[in-house]
């Protein structure tokens, strides 16, 4: 649609330039056509706003669908809801960087899910996050992914934990946190 509209505008402006010396003068059409054009001109901003809203809502529903899929496929997010050992804060006090991070645990350490949220419009590069196990951590969700209308800033699908202690844990991840975004990561 955008391509066809662009072609129409291009052809129209070329014809105006060629046959009307680049000008459309008042009164060059019928009063009915002028009235329709005025009405259309008044409707365009509302139609564009509605299209933006529709596009934004579609992106939100895409994120919700993906979150529901990740929830169903990762027992750590629900299996131990009512057990104290099913949840552990990584860092609930990072007011300087405005982040929160926690672990949801299942019975298997490879199924644990780490969540980290950046509440600022500033990306956080080389953000160090403590984890209990080494190995590769897959990015299950990045709410700033392009598919959801975001900038695509993230970790290219995952990161390797290193033996750098952080947050009282033996390993850590060096992450890129997207602005105003959340990441869910898992070893599984």
């Amino acid at each position: 649609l955008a391509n066809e509209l662009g072609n129409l505008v291009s052809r129209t402006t070329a014809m105006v330039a060629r046959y009307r010396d680049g000008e459309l003068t008042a009164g060059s059409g019928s009063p009915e056509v002028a009235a329709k054009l005025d009405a259309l001109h008044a409707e365009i901003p509302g139609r564009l706003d509605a299209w933006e809203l529709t596009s934004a809502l579609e992106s939100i529903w895409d994120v919700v669908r993906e979150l529901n899929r990740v929830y169903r496929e990762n027992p750590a997010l629900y299996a131990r809801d009512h057990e104290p050992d099913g949840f552990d804060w990584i860092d609930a006090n990072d007011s300087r960087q405005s982040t929160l991070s926690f672990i949801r645990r299942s019975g298997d350490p490879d199924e644990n899910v780490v969540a980290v949220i950046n509440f600022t419009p500033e990306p956080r590069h080389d953000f160090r996050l403590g984890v209990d196990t080494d190995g590769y951590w897959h990015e299950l969700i990045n709410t700033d992914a392009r598919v959801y209308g975001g900038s695509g800033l993230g970790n290219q699908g995952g990161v390797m934990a290193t033996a750098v202690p952080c947050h009282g844990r033996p390993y850590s991840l060096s992450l890129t946190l997207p602005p105003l975004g959340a990441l869910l990561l898992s070893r599984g």
Side-chain angles (χ1 to χ4, degrees), residues 74-146:
N74 291 276
L77 295 173
Y78 58 84
R80 298 175 72 189
D81 273 350
H82 304 289
E83 299 174 31
D85 291 340
F87 177 90
D88 190 16
W89 285 108
I90 296 174
D91 191 351
N93 300 303
D94 188 3
S95 59
R96 186 177 59 78
Q97 295 187 90
S98 296
T99 67
L100 280 176
S101 52
F102 58 88
I103 298 175
R104 291 298 308 263
R105 300 182 190 283
S106 71
D108 180 354
D110 284 340
E111 291 180 352
N112 291 347
V113 174
V114 168
V116 59
I117 305 156
N118 180 7
F119 291 97
T120 72
E122 299 296 320
R124 303 282 181 219
H125 298 283
D126 301 317
F127 183 87
R128 187 65 62 179
L129 185 71
V131 293
D132 296 326
T133 55
D134 66 346
Y136 190 80
W137 287 75
H138 301 273
E139 210 172 59
L140 300 173
I141 285 278
N142 175 349
T143 60
D144 195 49
R146 289 192 193 283

Side-chain angles (χ1 to χ4, degrees), residues 32-43:
E32 296 84 22
V33 170
K36 286 182 181 179
L37 286 173
D38 286 342
L40 180 61
H41 184 267
E43 287 179 29

Side-chain angles (χ1 to χ4, degrees), residues 5-48:
L5 288 175
N7 289 339
L8 176 62
V9 169
S10 178
R11 287 193 308 270
T12 303
T13 55
M15 290 176 67
V16 168
R18 183 173 183 180
Y19 298 111
R20 307 281 295 179
D21 294 325
E23 288 186 29
L24 286 177
T25 57
S28 62
S30 71
E32 296 84 22
V33 170
K36 286 182 181 179
L37 286 173
D38 286 342
L40 180 61
H41 184 267
E43 287 179 29
I44 288 174
R47 289 184 180 193
L48 289 175

